[in-house]
Amino acid sequence: MTWPSWNDGSFIIDGVGYIRDVVELPGGWSSGRAMLLDGDRGRAVVKRWPQPMMARGAAESAALLALVGSRVAPRPLTINGSLDPLHFASQTITAQEFLEGRPPFMHRPIEETTLRAIGARIAEMHATFRPTERALPVANRLSDAFELLRLPAIRRDGLFDLIAQGLKMCETSLPALTECSTGHIHGDLNFDNILCDDDGIRFIDFEFARHDLRLLDLAMMRAPLRSAEGTLVVLPPRIQVAVLDGYQAAAQTPFDDHELALLPTVSLMYFLMILRDLVALDSLHWRKVLPAVAQLMRESSVSLRIA
C-alpha cells in the first residue's frame, strides 16, 4: 500500500493543522521511525512502528496515556480523533506532542542539582503511573543477557569467564530481588531519553515501559551512553548516587536498605543486557565498557553479602 501524503486527509493529528514540513528525527537505538511534523497550528512527533515492533508502539502509547496530566512525559495526540494506535500498511502509527528540550548530557559535567532533579522526576513518574499490564519478569530479561555467552566475539576475545561470572552474580541475586518493590517503569531511562526544558525534566521514548523492578530505572544511570561521535561513554558512579539522592528525597515510597544494597547488582544486570545488544550489533566500542563491568561486579560481590 502506498504511503499517502500527510495532507490528503488520511491522518488528522490533533493540534497540528496543515503540515508544512516533515523531518525524520535521529533514531538512535529506537525501534521505529520518528518524524517531526511542523503544521500551521503546532508541531507533533509521529512514530511509525513496523510489524515486528508494534508491541513496543503499543507499550509507549499505553504509557503516555497512563501519564496524561503529569509533568513527566509528552502528551499523546489523537490521530483521526482517536488516541488508539492507528494501523496502516502493516505499521502502527502513534502521535505525541513535540518537546523542545535537550538531553542534559552535552559533553560537559551535569550539575548536581540537575541530577537530583532527575531523580525527583523519576520518583514522580513512578508515583503517577497507572499500571496497565504486567510484563516480563526480571528473570526472563536476565535470560536475554545470557545470550552473551553464545556470541562469537565473547569467546574470541577471551571474555567468556568475565561475563559468565557477572551473569552468575545476577542469577544468584534473583531470590533477593523478588522481595524488592515493583511498579510501572520507563524501562529505557538513559540520558538520551531525558530532556531539560522550561518545565523542568521530562522523559521521552517509553517503548520499553513495563511493570518491573523500580530499581531498574535507577540502575540505568550506570549504563553506557552513546556520544554524538558514536563512541560509548561510561558514566561515573557519582551520577547514579546523585540521581538516587534526589529520588529518595522525593519518593512517596523510598527504596529500603535491602533494595539499596542490591542496586549495584541490578545495575550490573542492566549493563550486561546493554552489552549483549552492543556485541550483537558488532559495535567497535563495546570493549571499552568492560572495566565498568568489572567495577560493578566488585560492587555486586559486596552488595550480595550485605543483602
Side-chain angles (χ1 to χ4, degrees):
M1 184 179 297
T2 303
W3 193 264
S5 164
W6 288 105
N7 286 314
D8 74 350
S10 298
F11 310 112
I12 301 175
I13 301 169
D14 179 38
V16 176
Y18 181 84
I19 297 169
R20 299 173 297 195
D21 192 22
V22 178
V23 178
E24 187 152 357
L25 298 173
W29 290 352
S30 179
S31 306
R33 294 179 60 190
M35 290 155 287
L36 171 61
L37 273 56
D38 185 10
D40 58 5
R41 291 171 49 204
R43 293 193 287 180
V45 172
V46 170
K47 295 188 177 183
R48 295 166 53 178
W49 307 89
Q51 195 163 21
M53 305 300 177
M54 284 183 178
R56 295 184 182 180
E60 177 167 83
S61 180
L64 296 184
L65 282 172
L67 291 167
V68 165
S70 72
R71 302 174 298 167
V72 302
R75 179 172 55 90
L77 301 176
T78 62
I79 304 178
N80 299 343
S82 175
L83 286 172
D84 294 330
L86 176 68
H87 299 286
F88 182 88
S90 300
Q91 298 183 52
T92 290
I93 318 298
T94 59
Q96 58 191 256
E97 71 171 315
F98 173 71
L99 300 182
E100 296 279 0
R102 61 178 57 194
F105 188 85
M106 300 294 288
H107 303 284
R108 64 176 182 271
I110 309 175
E111 294 182 358
E112 190 89 2
T113 54
T114 300
L115 293 170
R116 290 179 61 87
I118 290 171
R121 193 51 65 94
I122 296 172
E124 182 181 347
M125 176 181 65
H126 286 175
T128 305
F129 253 133
R130 298 187 299 274
T132 53
E133 61 181 21
R134 193 171 184 87
L136 293 174
V138 173
N140 284 357
R141 294 305 307 273
L142 181 59
S143 69
D144 292 343
F146 271 97
E147 292 182 24
L148 266 171
L149 299 178
R150 293 195 288 271
L151 294 173
I154 294 296
R155 297 177 180 275
R156 183 178 64 244
D157 292 355
L159 299 170
F160 183 91
D161 290 343
L162 173 68
I163 302 302
Q165 184 182 355
L167 289 167
K168 185 64 177 178
M169 285 183 175
C170 296
E171 188 177 34
T172 301
S173 73
L174 290 179
L177 290 175
T178 61
E179 301 174 17
C180 294
S181 59
T182 61
H184 218 67
I185 67 169
H186 181 284
D188 190 22
L189 206 52
N190 62 74
F191 277 91
D192 289 333
N193 293 336
I194 301 173
L195 298 182
C196 297
D197 62 14
D198 293 340
D199 294 323
I201 307 296
R202 294 210 270 182
F203 307 127
I204 59 172
D205 290 349
F206 283 79
E207 63 188 81
F208 293 104
R210 62 189 182 274
H211 194 89
D212 213 329
L213 292 179
R214 288 192 301 143
L215 276 174
L216 274 168
D217 273 345
L218 279 297
M220 295 171 194
M221 296 295 109
R222 291 289 290 272
L225 181 70
R226 182 176 289 178
S227 72
E229 293 77 24
T231 59
L232 294 173
V233 179
V234 176
L235 301 179
R238 75 164 187 91
I239 288 182
Q240 186 183 59
V241 170
V243 172
L244 178 62
D245 285 346
Y247 186 99
Q248 292 292 86
Q252 295 180 5
T253 307
F255 296 115
D256 61 26
D257 290 342
H258 172 81
E259 292 174 301
L260 293 175
L262 286 167
L263 181 56
T265 306
V266 178
S267 300
L268 174 63
M269 182 185 301
Y270 185 76
F271 208 121
L272 290 172
M273 292 177 192
I274 296 296
L275 187 59
R276 169 193 169 273
D277 292 337
L278 292 174
V279 177
L281 291 171
D282 197 26
S283 168
L284 298 176
H285 311 289
W286 65 267
R287 294 170 186 81
K288 296 180 180 179
V289 305
L290 290 175
V293 172
Q295 174 61 30
L296 277 170
M297 287 170 59
R298 289 191 290 270
E299 295 175 28
S300 296
S301 65
V302 173
S303 70
L304 288 174
R305 289 197 295 270
I306 296 174

